[in-house]
Structures are given as structure tokens and as C-alpha cells.
Amino acid sequence: MSAPHTGHRIVSVLAGVLLAGTALAAPAVATDHRTGSAPSSAEAAQSPAAVVFKGRVIAQPSLNVRKDPNTSRPPVGSIPFGTVIELECKTNGEVVEGNRRWYKLPGERHWVAARWVENIGAAPGECP
């Protein structure tokens, strides 16, 4: 007589444990180190770290990075085709192939023409 086949039962039990653990897990909440309290939902919604905006470079062979949202000065660098980049905000600038939008990259004052960036998800908001 052979032993009963228990493989399916073990997988079912493990799947149930994983699902139950996921359903019971509490969401992580950041604490403000200055006050020791969690931010309000309004503060969390306005936090720049709350949402990361991304795009994919579609310029071939690369996308020029500029100090200002125009092409009047030489590029300060370039980003290769297909690279996924983070986008901080958008503004209007010089029209590039029918598109006047430019994206600011996080950190230093670097800009790329939105004409050559394919958004991944939502586009960032206007720059302050």
C-alpha cells in the first residue's frame, strides 16, 4: 500500500498561511523624527517621497540633459535609450518637436525634453 499523496494539501496550507499573513500585516507608517508622531494623511499626500514618477528614454541613441528647459546651451550630459529615469516635476520651456514640456530630474537643476520621455504611470505635477 502506498502512502497518501499530501503534496497538494501542503501547498494549500502554505498558500493559506501566506494569504493570512498578508491580510493581517499592518501598513508601515513613517514617523517624523522631530515630533515622534506619524504624518497626517494630508502631509503624506504632499510628501515628495510619497510618489515616485518615472519615465523611459525614447530618444535614440540618447537623451540630452540640460541645465535649463531649452536647447540654447550645450548639454551637460546624456541618458541612453531605454533607461528608466525618475522625474521630479514638469514645466513649459522651448518647444521640442511640437512638445513644450520639460521634466526636471531629481537633485541638481537638470532638465530633459518631455518629447523624448515615455511616462511610466502618471506624469509629475508642475514645478513650484
Side-chain angles (χ1 to χ4, degrees):
M1 183 178 215
S2 64
H5 184 41
T6 59
H8 293 295
R9 190 174 330 134
I10 292 171
V11 171
S12 297
V13 169
L14 287 174
V17 169
L18 290 173
L19 289 174
T22 302
L24 297 176
V29 176
T31 302
D32 186 332
H33 70 281
R34 295 166 295 174
T35 64
S37 64
S40 70
S41 58
E43 290 170 332
Q46 293 176 354
S47 170
V51 177
V52 176
F53 299 99
K54 293 185 178 186
R56 181 174 288 108
V57 173
I58 59 171
Q60 292 190 18
S62 61
L63 174 61
N64 287 329
V65 178
R66 311 251 179 202
K67 279 285 190 188
D68 296 300
N70 61 59
T71 61
S72 62
R73 294 183 13 202
V76 295
S78 64
I79 304 169
F81 171 80
T83 302
V84 174
I85 57 175
E86 288 189 20
L87 309 170
E88 186 174 310
C89 59
K90 64 186 174 188
T91 194
N92 290 330
E94 178 183 339
V95 176
V96 175
E97 295 211 10
N99 188 336
R100 59 189 278 170
R101 290 287 191 185
W102 287 71
Y103 291 129
K104 183 180 179 301
L105 304 178
E108 297 182 40
R109 197 180 81 201
H110 288 149
W111 298 86
V112 294
R115 166 63 183 92
W116 303 112
V117 177
E118 175 183 68
N119 292 102
I120 300 172
E126 294 290 328
C127 296

